[in-house]
Amino acid sequence: MDGSPTLRSIHIMPGSTVPESMHNTFSASGETEFIYGKSIRQALTAQTNLNFLIVGLGLGYIEILILSLVKNCQIHSFESDSELRKNFSNWILNSDQEFEIYNQVCRSLNLKPEFIREQINQNQFYINPDLNVQTVFKSKSHIICFDVFSRKTSESLWTEQFLNYFISKACNDDCILISYSCTSLLNRVLINHGFKLIQKSGYNGKRESTLAVRGTLNVLFNVEN
């Protein structure tokens, strides 16, 4: 409703006549800041050399937000849609009008596209293909942004097998996992891997979202080990 662009899947949710939206329809940029931005900034108050992993590139909201905040970090983004990977990569290299949607995303976050491109040169930024239980992670990340479509559209990423594999292989001992989504399965797997769940509301009327912390980063959120 505020004009910040979003994506819609071709999947029609039960009881609806419109495709599923990737972001809250009220504000894609507002949801990004509320769900991810606040927790990332809080983590950065104590430590700056944190590595990031984002599941679901989409239109690059989380990636652009992180790039605006950090330098000298690894940022890995995973996206199954080859067109989205290609388009975002091309935007990084080229400011032509063809990629105006990414400029709109920057502006909706009150950022200049030119600044984000400069920041990319200050970080190790990688766009990767889709995830599965054979994915090899070269390093473990401190901040995980699990920003995928629902189980109905991304079923393989919401299985207990994948979540156990992903958390065991991708998450650092000191780690924060953030997601707009909150499911009993995700909560159970996180707890089984030593994460503490922090009660956090969803954006714009949604009941809950996920914020889970493990290791020395617990202290930032007043969680006891």
Side-chain angles (χ1 to χ4, degrees), residues 113-159:
E114 298 79 11
F115 171 68
I116 297 303
R117 289 195 183 89
E118 291 174 2
Q119 286 291 94
I120 288 171
N121 295 326
Q122 302 295 322
N123 293 281
Q124 300 176 56
F125 180 65
Y126 307 97
I127 300 176
N128 307 283
D130 58 324
L131 288 167
N132 54 58
V133 292
Q134 279 78 46
T135 299
V136 176
F137 301 95
K138 295 182 179 179
S139 61
K140 294 189 174 184
S141 297
H142 303 92
I143 298 183
I144 310 287
C145 300
F146 199 73
D147 193 59
V148 298
F149 270 117
S150 69
R151 187 166 187 170
K152 292 182 176 64
T153 55
S154 304
E155 184 175 4
S156 65
L157 300 184
W158 290 104
T159 66

Side-chain angles (χ1 to χ4, degrees), residues 40-143:
I40 291 170
R41 287 186 174 88
Q42 192 165 349
L44 289 171
T45 60
Q47 189 173 345
T48 56
N49 58 334
L50 300 173
N51 292 335
F52 297 81
L53 189 154
I54 306 100
V55 185
L57 168 66
L59 292 179
Y61 275 96
I62 301 172
E63 289 79 1
I64 288 169
L65 175 65
I66 292 171
L67 285 164
S68 75
L69 299 173
V70 302
K71 290 182 179 180
N72 303 317
C73 288
Q74 285 189 30
I75 305 170
H76 285 272
S77 180
F78 288 83
E79 172 59 54
S80 61
D81 190 304
S82 60
E83 284 299 307
L84 290 175
R85 297 197 306 268
K86 181 180 71 175
N87 290 345
F88 194 81
S89 297
N90 286 339
W91 173 74
I92 290 171
L93 300 172
N94 192 326
S95 60
D96 285 354
Q97 196 72 17
E98 178 184 354
F99 310 110
E100 175 59 23
I101 192 167
Y102 299 110
N103 296 332
Q104 293 177 26
V105 169
C106 288
R107 290 193 289 267
S108 72
L109 293 169
N110 297 313
L111 299 167
K112 294 182 178 180
E114 298 79 11
F115 171 68
I116 297 303
R117 289 195 183 89
E118 291 174 2
Q119 286 291 94
I120 288 171
N121 295 326
Q122 302 295 322
N123 293 281
Q124 300 176 56
F125 180 65
Y126 307 97
I127 300 176
N128 307 283
D130 58 324
L131 288 167
N132 54 58
V133 292
Q134 279 78 46
T135 299
V136 176
F137 301 95
K138 295 182 179 179
S139 61
K140 294 189 174 184
S141 297
H142 303 92
I143 298 183

